[in-house]
Amino acid sequence: AQSVTQLGSHVSVSEGALVLLRCNYSSSVPPYLFWYVQYPNQGLQLLLKYTSAATLVKGINGFEAEFKKSETSFHLTKPSAHMSDAAEYFCAVSDTRDKVIFGPGTSLSVIP
Amino acid sequence: GAGVSQSPSNKVTEKGKDVELRCDPISGHTALYWYRQSLGQGLEFLIYFQGNSAPDKSGLPSDRFSAERTGGSVSTLTIQRTQQEDSAVYLCASSLRTGGRTDTQYFGPGTRLTVL
């Protein structure tokens, strides 16, 4: 069965610092992976997704993630945090036709 | 509208009452999903529709939960005899294709359900 773990339910970074949100997956078949973001009082929206084309995926708002098969990881990074990046971030895996499994989420706080 | 809409945005009900939550997907999206997000929890998959049929109902937590979709569009999630543990935000999402593995899901703002 597929699953997703996100290390750290809450991460705090200073404005301008590197953002690193960790995601590890378990999948019996080659996975497709997603990062979604949920801003306060808003619905989830797609940040980026890995669909086996390039292992380094660039998304919106300066975020990117790298698929590492050997580490079963898909960590999300951003070189310089902005106050507007404060949100809940969800990693997800799709390895069956009809279902996407979401991780528990990581809440990102940005300190001025 | 341009996005997925859900109604009501908030619902407060008494234990034992039935509630209906509505989802209007993006026009033309054939796949529709329901999730539950409890406080401090991730997204719990409830049910998936392809057109009007539900190939996967495995996430429904009990027989008090049911969902239907009509005309390949609007979906209703019904919770009968609500319990306090049903309190959560219920999210709906739709995607353009047939729920394929690479589909991007577009989420609605959710319905916050509180059972007193």
Side-chain angles (χ1 to χ4, degrees):
Chain A
Q2 62 273 33
S3 65
V4 176
T5 58
Q6 293 183 242
L7 184 62
S9 60
H10 187 86
V11 171
S12 292
V13 300
S14 298
E15 190 174 17
L18 172 72
V19 176
L20 171 61
L21 304 182
R22 298 178 186 276
C23 172
N24 289 86
Y25 70 90
S26 172
S27 176
S28 57
V29 296
Y32 293 146
L33 295 156
F34 307 79
W35 275 99
Y36 283 85
V37 61
Q38 185 176 32
Y39 296 105
N41 300 314
Q42 295 186 28
L44 278 81
Q45 63 182 90
L46 182 72
L47 265 182
L48 49 83
K49 62 180 176 181
Y50 166 74
T51 58
S52 76
T55 57
L56 182 62
V57 182
K58 295 187 183 298
I60 61 172
N61 300 335
F63 284 93
E64 63 182 36
E66 186 173 8
F67 172 70
K68 292 186 176 181
K69 182 178 179 181
S70 61
E71 299 177 8
T72 61
S73 69
F74 190 56
H75 302 330
L76 181 71
T77 60
K78 182 175 180 177
S80 177
H82 191 273
M83 296 298 294
S84 61
D85 294 329
E88 189 87 16
Y89 291 81
F90 294 92
C91 182
V93 62
S94 169
D95 70 352
T96 61
R97 177 169 174 77
D98 300 335
K99 186 180 295 184
V100 174
I101 302 299
F102 284 82
T106 297
S107 177
L108 176 66
S109 298
V110 181
I111 304 166
Chain B
V4 178
S5 61
Q6 293 185 247
S7 60
S9 56
N10 281 283
K11 176 71 175 179
V12 179
T13 190
E14 294 179 347
K15 177 181 174 181
K17 301 283 189 181
D18 297 352
V19 296
E20 285 190 352
L21 312 180
R22 176 188 169 105
C23 172
D24 281 274
I26 294 173
S27 178
H29 280 196
T30 60
L32 187 147
Y33 306 79
W34 283 99
Y35 296 90
R36 180 167 67 176
Q37 186 177 23
S38 302
L39 187 64
Q41 303 293 315
L43 274 71
E44 176 187 4
F45 170 83
L46 297 179
I47 189 169
Y48 153 74
F49 286 93
Q50 166 52 30
N52 291 335
S53 64
D56 191 342
K57 303 179 182 179
S58 63
L60 294 176
S62 74
D63 59 8
R64 296 186 295 105
F65 288 72
S66 63
E68 64 176 13
R69 188 180 186 194
T70 56
S73 181
V74 172
S75 177
T76 302
L77 177 68
T78 301
I79 308 174
Q80 295 178 310
R81 305 181 303 280
T82 52
Q83 304 294 312
Q84 289 183 330
E85 60 263 29
D86 299 334
S87 296
V89 176
Y90 290 82
L91 296 171
C92 175
S94 68
S95 66
L96 180 61
R97 289 168 51 217
T98 58
R101 294 179 54 193
T102 62
D103 281 1
T104 295
Q105 294 186 24
Y106 296 84
F107 284 81
T111 293
R112 182 176 298 278
L113 174 66
T114 303
V115 182
L116 301 176

